Amino acid sequence: MNARLVHFVWSHRLGLLVIVAVAMVLIFPLVTNNPYTLELTNRIAIISLAVVGLNLFMGSTGQISLGHAAFLAMGAYGSGVLTVHAGLSPWVALLAAAVLAAFFALVVGVPLLRLSGHALAMATLACNVVVHHVLLQEDQWTGGPSGLAGIPPLSVGGILLDNPVQLHFFVWGVLLLVLFGALNLVRSLPGRGLALLAADEIGAACLGVPVLRVKVALLVLSAVLAAVAGSFFAHTYGYVSPDSFSIFVSTDLAIMVVLGGMGSVWGSVLGAAVIILLPEVSDAAETYKEFVHGGILVAILLFAPQGAMRAIRQGWQLAVWRWRRAHATA
Amino acid sequence: MRRTLWWLVAGMLLSAAPVFAKETIKIGAFFDLSGRAAFIGTPTKLVAEMVVEALNAAGGVGGKKLELVIADTEGDPAKAATIATRFIHKDQVVAIVGPTLTDEGMNVKKIVHTGRTPVVMTVGGDPVILDGEKFGPARWVFKSPQRSSTAVERLFTYLKEKGLTEVALLTADDGFGKDGLRWMEALAPRFGITFVAKEAFGARDTDMTAQLTRIKHAAPKALVVWTIGPAGAIVAKNRQQLGMTVPLFQSHGLPDPKYIELAGAASEGTRMPATKLLVVDELPEGDPQKPVIQDFVRRYTERGYHKQFPINTHSGYAWDAIMLIVKAMEKVGTEPEALRSAIETTKDYVGVSGTYNLSPEDHNGLGVDSMVMVEVRDGRFVLAR
Amino acid sequence: MDWMQFIWAGLGNGAIYALIALGFCIVYGAMGIVNFVQVDFVTLGGMFLYSVAVTAGLPVPLGVVASMVGTALVAMAVERMALRPARTANHLVLVFLTVGISIVVRGAIHMVWGKNRMAVPPLTADDPVRLLGAYVLPQTLWMMVLTLLAILALVWFFRGTPLGLAMRAVASNPRAAAVVGIPAGRVRLAAYAVAGACGGLAGALVTPITTLSADVGVLLGLKGFAAAILGGFGSFPGAVVGGLILGISEALAAGYLSSAYKDALAFVLLVLVLAWRPQGLLGR
Amino acid sequence: MLRLEGVTKRFGGLTALDGVSFAVAPGTVTALIGPNGAGKSTLLDCLFGVQRPDAGSIRLGERELVGLSPDAIARLGLARTFQNLRLAPFETVLDTVLVGLVARQPFSLWAGLLRLPATRHTERAMRLAALQALDRLGLAHKADWPAGVLAYGDKKRLELARAIVAEPQVLVLDEPVAGLNRVETEAVASELRRLRRAGRTVLLVEHDMDLVMRLADTVVVLDGGRRIAQGTPVEVQRNPLVLEAYLGQMEVVA
């Protein structure tokens, strides 16, 4: 009986996980409707959107991008500039910003993806620096260093998304859809090809994975997701400023991927949550906060280099195995 | 009437349950303590703690102790927004002081507006207290440092007096520098000032000889530099290196003994607008600010803060920010809307950085008379002649 | 003779970028990773100089030596305590491990030296000298001379000492080096020490000009990394050439094009070079 | 029919392949042998588009393969195993074999993201095919193990399973029994025999002369980048050039 239950749970683990996730998202605002908590969780959801995309790129190509904040910026500023200066509706602006980011990723991606390793990391970082600089300098459009305010919130079916609870359902709903898509992709046949691509480019190519096309496609996909996240960011806060999209934000995004585990879809959310919640924890340590912040980061990378999600999964598998063995002997 | 009622309620609560006696009035204070402006945010935090301690030693506000809830924005606007939400909804503070940077302040405006909590900011930029579509709601936002426009007016008045009207501008490309540039361009015609060169540099740049060389060719009568932090000192050193003799004027961001320390002999003769805090000894006896400033300086040095953070023109802003809140609180208590309008109608509060007269149109309340021109002479700041 | 003024400014900064880039290359050679703690080695160099020359009041040249030694010791501690226990050979994870270490080191700097800006004395008096039609600070000349000396010392180290030769062997073929019994641990430790000394020297030389604060190394370090990539990551002559090109092009951009966009122009140049030559200017 | 004509590849001054020509007839096992450094690996790299030959042509049926990308070549029906294992260690054994089917389908990220019912159906069919391939090589009971934890012999067989699952037109095996013990080698040999019976076309690159002699229909001998002999196993065994090439090698080894 018990064994059958375990088998059922195991074989339907993904479906069950999705059901549990949806249920948790639905129930969460009933448990706490404190705007502070919701602001944090909403931010986790928004950033996770970008991290899932970046993780698909990094996890499948094994390459670092240190420039994804530039795509976030394109979404945020695209939304901001088009709504504030051109008076477009938020959804149109969001769409236009996503298209812009996709186009930029395509143009930059084709020559740059010939690079690999540190050169690619540096090149993406350089793109980020340039975009950041444009945001600072072109102040008649971007508001320069003091930022761009007065960005209207999104609305869905006539409901204005301007309070944390409505935003919660919206951003987590979108994130779950994206996660679902990403999980599908990872489990699909092309997804298996991507997993091999991460481990071995030539091997993957010889098995029929169109390497350059896939790399560019994933860069574009991750750029679009980052741009959408940036747009949500802009419409949520109603304000954007260049330093929200500096290279340090890019490194943070990459750290979220590595922390959660490259190629792990759920790990993306976990990594985003850890990095966003870390200051809330380490703030309590006041003078020692940088030690706590950096120390936790170092500890996770030292002791769970495969990523937090895989470490958890391995722990779980170990537990299941032990349980099975105990019941086999009994 | 209302005040007595409040006192009455407070008194009843105090006598009724000793546990309530411990209840405090919470003020949220968030500054950049580890980010790019930690060197401004950290002393601001120290001063905020100092003023709260002083107030509590004097009996608190209406018999209740003040409690400061401190947080670190890390120079990140998104982080600042999170902290502001936490202050309002979790810590349930009555009012907020901070943050340190203009873009942090901008990202907080909407939150304090919907959260109905007054905030007195210690940021340099003016957009935080501008209201409207382009700037976001400013109804609940105040700021204690002078507006950039005030400092520009003070400087331009001085330049006009001295007949130094052909000016070369060298501005940082951060928020502070751009704000200054915007105001200088807007106010120049009124003072008959023309610009013969306009150059920019990054706030973290380490060499401005290229920009200064171009300025040198424009042969201005005065060189105005608008920045905050060490870049100003580097400009001073580069100017000396290139053998330029054109008089150097800095912004109100630089009156700081650190500037003299960093620029060394190159700082000699630099003039800049500043609060009276730096030249308190030279103030006439009748100046109402003199005793306030002297008291502030005494407390600051008693605690030994001046060893790492020598008193500069920004030192008093956190003091004034908290005092603006406390003065209003003493009048009307802690009900948000009442507190907000009490801050908005503050009149003749004599603070460290000037005499504040706020109004619904002016959420800063400091005029040109709150600033003086100072000059570096023999390694210290004195009133400029 | 404006251009001469710009060239001097560029050479000074370029020498520092080159020194930092060398630090990046040395660790890359030994471990195959980008060591982001290099950024803090630069800051530490300035801090040690401050402690020795200002706080303790000792002569500045002694301070420069102390900052090289001190930073090298810190670098060795970082390698020994934080990188060696890592349970992975995955380069990506190690790179981000160094980012985490960098946060901790910066926290330590904040605690020991505080958060305010500091002034650091230059090696010799601050009066500019007139050289080839430009005004040059003596410190700029020191930067160039000492960087050159450091490069010569490195050449000697890598060509003339057993440890240096071992490090070169590891850099060119790690597996073969392991087979012939070169102790990987000692090589990594030595690489960190040398990289730390390079960063420390750069910090001690540049902070009298830039002024000193806990994050002074971040932007400089970034430019150093860019210089290393520009020249071809891992190539020592490439690091020097990359540093100088970056420094000079920055100064010329500020002088002749747009001072507002000069930082961006340096990075645009970098991207263009990489698109043309993915392995960098002098990379293999 | 896979036909190579005058394939030449130079690395700097070194000529790795010097006008190599031979053909692999359909339904046969062709073995490619030669001492170390003879150019076998370079030849395979050229065949799969990893390297581009400087001259010559490689045709599969009527299609010219030179100039195509590796994935395009894989899609035309060439599959291979690798001398040095190329496996993703965290993927399960079953998933690893599934990757062998990537070339059989258009590579669409969209289809993966949306997971339409049609995709689901084909993937179920592919899973079945993958399990069958595993079963034939005796790995079915380890289908949910991570590939990284398998023993070396199992990994070799896993790669073989991955290569045959797509039923390619030409199967290229790069040293499939190197490092295997006798029992394991025998398992691979019987699988190869089964493939030949089923009419598969195989290009076998192998050191194990015993295996080559037992299985191959035709043997091609490379030395120093040139084809020095071609024929049936018996013919090749008697060829003095071949003996010299191998004996010379042996002397070096001894």
Side-chain angles (χ1 to χ4, degrees), chain C residues 148-164:
Chain C
L148 193 67
L149 281 179
I151 292 169
L152 292 177
L154 282 177
V155 169
W156 168 77
F157 175 73
F158 280 108
R159 291 184 187 276
T161 65
L163 188 57

Side-chain angles (χ1 to χ4, degrees), chain B residues 49-220:
Chain B
E49 285 172 340
M50 182 176 93
V51 58
V52 165
E53 203 169 296
L55 285 165
N56 282 341
V61 179
K64 285 193 187 180
K65 299 275 187 227
L66 287 174
E67 185 191 339
L68 215 50
V69 187
I70 304 257
D72 176 11
T73 62
E74 299 173 23
D76 174 6
K79 183 88 203 295
T82 309
I83 295 171
T85 350
R86 193 180 82 204
F87 279 164
I88 296 169
H89 298 285
K90 183 160 164 260
D91 302 325
Q92 307 203 319
V93 300
V94 170
I96 301 173
V97 291
T100 308
L101 292 159
T102 307
D103 54 353
E104 293 174 345
M106 292 298 284
N107 210 19
V108 166
K109 287 172 83 171
K110 210 174 109 183
I111 289 157
V112 294
H113 190 81
T114 46
R116 294 165 51 79
T117 307
V119 56
V120 184
M121 298 191 175
T122 51
V123 305
D126 298 352
V128 290
I129 51 166
L130 296 179
D131 203 67
E133 191 101 309
K134 267 188 76 179
F135 301 104
R139 199 173 131 81
W140 294 80
V141 183
F142 305 88
K143 78 166 208 158
S144 63
Q146 276 88 356
R147 297 157 177 271
S148 298
S149 58
T150 310
V152 170
E153 274 188 61
R154 187 71 200 82
L155 175 66
F156 279 8
T157 316
Y158 183 84
L159 289 177
K160 196 181 168 192
E161 269 172 31
K162 300 285 172 194
L164 303 168
T165 52
E166 281 165 35
V167 172
L169 293 185
L170 183 55
T171 54
D173 66 359
D174 59 358
F176 186 82
K178 294 222 163 193
D179 208 27
L181 178 63
R182 205 159 36 240
W183 280 113
M184 285 194 279
E185 282 173 339
L187 293 173
R190 226 172 80 196
F191 293 87
I193 283 171
T194 52
F195 301 124
V196 295
K198 281 183 202 169
E199 294 289 331
F201 59 88
R204 284 161 177 263
D205 280 4
T206 54
D207 185 287
M208 288 75 164
T209 46
Q211 290 93 328
L212 284 172
T213 306
R214 289 183 8 165
I215 286 174
K216 202 174 167 184
H217 292 304

Side-chain angles (χ1 to χ4, degrees), chain B residues 318-334:
Chain B
W319 177 282
D320 290 330
I322 292 184
M323 288 307 286
L324 282 173
I325 295 168
V326 168
K327 292 276 179 209
M329 228 184 269
E330 280 171 350
K331 256 186 268 169
V332 300
T334 56

Side-chain angles (χ1 to χ4, degrees), chain D residues 128-197:
Chain D
L128 200 63
L131 273 169
Q132 281 170 347
L134 281 175
D135 196 35
R136 279 209 299 274
L137 291 164
L139 284 170
H141 61 292
K142 294 175 179 170
D144 60 348
W145 289 28
V149 305
L150 292 184
Y152 182 75
D154 284 352
K155 282 183 182 163
K156 281 293 240 200
R157 277 187 292 162
L158 178 56
E159 273 215 335
L160 184 58
R162 185 172 69 181
I164 61 173
V165 69
E167 308 196 334
Q169 280 197 45
V170 180
L171 177 64
V172 181
L173 304 174
D174 195 354
E175 304 198 5
V177 299
L180 297 192
N181 64 29
R182 192 172 300 246
V183 179
E184 289 166 334
T185 304
E186 214 35 61
V188 172
S190 68
E191 175 62 20
L192 289 180
R193 241 174 261 126
R194 198 194 61 76
L195 286 169
R196 189 170 63 166
R197 273 202 305 278

Side-chain angles (χ1 to χ4, degrees), chain A residues 184 187 189 192 200 208 213, chain D residues 75 86 112-113 115 123:
Chain A
N184 279 343
R187 287 195 310 153
L189 200 54
R192 318 259 184 237
D200 175 3
R213 183 164 73 84
Chain D
R75 276 167 198 283
R86 291 182 184 272
L113 278 169
R115 200 172 166 76
E123 286 198 0

Side-chain angles (χ1 to χ4, degrees), chain D residues 33 209 212-213 216-221 227-244:
Chain D
I33 63 170
M209 294 308 272
V212 169
M213 293 308 150
D217 298 303
T218 313
V219 178
V220 178
V221 189
R227 195 198 76 188
I228 55 167
Q230 181 174 18
T232 64
V234 181
E235 286 166 7
V236 166
Q237 244 172 340
R238 292 191 190 134
N239 190 319
L241 282 170
V242 178
L243 284 174
E244 193 195 310

